[in-house]
């Protein structure tokens, strides 16, 4: 008898628990529904963003590949025409001069850089464009784009560091000696840089020499000789030191 009563009590407790749960669910139905809806929306947004980002990167990479195909196309000067003959036709996919190739590639590289500035493809395109601009003497444009690479890629990334070196070179070409020295000196003290330090020190020495700071220049060149005796720059560094002593 007692066992039956205990069983009924348990059934009653269970029934009351179920009833309380039903009442709570009824009271909070709208809240639960809203929460579930928000979760679904968040998941859809995350999935949509991931899809958009993947699609964007794919488009940027495809566009970069097209630009690089032009930037790296072979330069094949045509042979001189035979007397009385028309000039030979340029081979498809080639360029007569490096300048022709650069002029054709630059708009394509800048198109990628401007459309997809924060993607890896966009950063690569902008770096290549900055280098090309420096090669043809458009230093102000090169400076602007090197700085944009640094801002987008970060100072300590491989592109950030190589862009800083390029920026230092461009600043030297523009005669902006103090900013060039500051940029190159900063690179020379970067212990985690992947750039060859002997090359950075050589350029820093040249910047000091160009600014008329002979002692600083001599110290930079001396570091190349002392710290990198097998460097390809050693001969030039010694010549620079000798020239500075004569001056």
């Amino acid at each position: 008898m007692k066992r039956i009563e205990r069983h009924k009590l348990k059934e009653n407790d269970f029934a009351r628990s179920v009833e309380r749960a039903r009442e709570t669910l009824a009271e909070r139905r709208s809240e639960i529904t809203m929460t579930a809806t928000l979760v679904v929306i968040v998941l859809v947004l995350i999935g949509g963003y991931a899809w958009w980002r993947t699609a964007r990167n794919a488009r940027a990479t495809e566009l970069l590949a097209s630009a690089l195909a032009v930037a790296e196309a072979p330069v094949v000067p045509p042979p001189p025409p035979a007397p009385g003959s028309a000039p030979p036709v340029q081979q498809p996919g080639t360029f007569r001069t490096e300048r022709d190739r650069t002029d054709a590639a630059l708009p394509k590289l800048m198109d990628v850089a401007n459309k997809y500035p924060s993607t890896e493809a966009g950063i690569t395109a902008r770096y290549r464009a900055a280098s090309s601009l420096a090669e043809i003497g458009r230093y102000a444009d090169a400076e602007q784009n090197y700085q944009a690479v640094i801002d987008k890629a970060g100072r300590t990334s491989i592109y950030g560091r190589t862009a800083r070196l390029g920026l230092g070179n461009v600043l030297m070409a523009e005669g902006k000696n103090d900013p060039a020295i500051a940029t190159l000196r900063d690179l020379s003290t970067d212990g985690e840089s992947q750039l060859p330090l002997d090359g950075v020190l050589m350029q820093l020495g040249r910047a000091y020499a160009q600014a008329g700071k002979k002692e600083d220049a001599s110290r930079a060149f001396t570091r190349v000789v002392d710290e990198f005796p097998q460097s390809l720059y050693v001969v030039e560094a010694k010549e620079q030191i000798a020239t500075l002593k004569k001056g």
Side-chain angles (χ1 to χ4, degrees):
M1 184 68 178
K2 290 182 179 180
R3 182 181 297 175
I4 294 173
E5 289 177 353
R6 284 198 299 270
H7 182 69
K8 288 183 177 180
L9 287 173
K10 289 181 180 179
E11 286 182 344
N12 291 337
D13 289 340
F14 177 73
R16 283 194 293 270
S17 297
V18 171
E19 185 61 26
R20 282 197 298 269
R22 290 177 59 188
E23 291 174 356
T24 301
L25 181 61
E27 292 173 358
R28 303 183 61 184
R29 186 182 303 277
S30 60
E31 180 181 343
I32 293 171
T33 301
M34 182 177 294
T35 301
T37 302
L38 289 174
V39 169
V40 171
I41 291 173
V42 169
L43 291 175
V44 169
L45 289 175
I46 292 173
Y49 174 75
W51 175 86
W52 171 82
R53 185 174 181 179
T54 300
R56 179 198 59 171
N57 289 341
R59 290 194 299 270
T61 301
E62 182 179 355
L63 206 58
L64 174 63
S66 177
L68 291 179
V70 176
E72 298 173 359
V75 173
V76 183
S85 302
V89 177
Q90 186 70 28
Q91 297 179 29
T94 68
F95 291 92
R96 187 181 300 267
T97 65
E98 290 189 4
R99 181 57 187 264
D100 288 345
R101 182 177 64 182
T102 298
D103 289 343
L106 262 175
K108 294 181 178 296
L109 291 169
M110 290 305 302
D111 185 45
V112 185
N114 292 330
K115 285 182 177 178
Y116 306 100
S118 299
T119 65
E120 185 174 349
I123 291 169
T124 300
R126 192 174 297 280
Y127 177 81
R128 291 290 297 262
S131 299
S132 295
L133 288 165
E135 288 174 3
I136 62 176
R138 291 173 57 181
Y139 299 125
D141 292 332
E143 178 185 347
Q144 179 182 357
N145 281 281
Y146 275 133
Q147 187 60 57
V149 171
I150 297 167
D151 294 339
K152 292 293 183 183
R155 289 170 52 83
T156 58
S157 69
I158 182 61
Y159 269 120
R161 288 186 170 110
T162 51
R164 285 159 62 194
L165 180 59
L167 178 61
N169 295 339
V170 166
L171 291 170
M172 282 182 61
E174 293 180 287
K176 299 178 179 179
N177 294 323
D178 289 341
I181 288 170
T183 299
L184 295 167
R185 186 173 56 218
D186 185 43
L187 270 177
S188 73
T189 58
D190 185 351
E192 298 181 359
S193 176
Q194 304 95 328
L195 301 180
L197 181 56
D198 54 342
V200 175
L201 288 170
M202 280 299 300
Q203 197 63 2
L204 176 60
R206 296 183 189 113
Y208 276 130
Q210 181 172 292
K213 299 180 178 182
K214 296 182 180 180
E215 292 184 3
D216 291 325
S218 182
R219 277 194 290 270
F221 293 132
T222 299
R223 283 191 62 188
V224 175
V225 175
D226 293 345
E227 297 177 24
F228 304 94
Q230 304 302 318
S231 171
L232 296 175
Y233 296 109
V234 166
V235 173
E236 182 187 349
K238 289 180 178 179
E239 292 174 351
Q240 291 279 8
I241 293 169
T243 300
L244 290 168
K245 286 180 178 178
K246 291 178 183 178

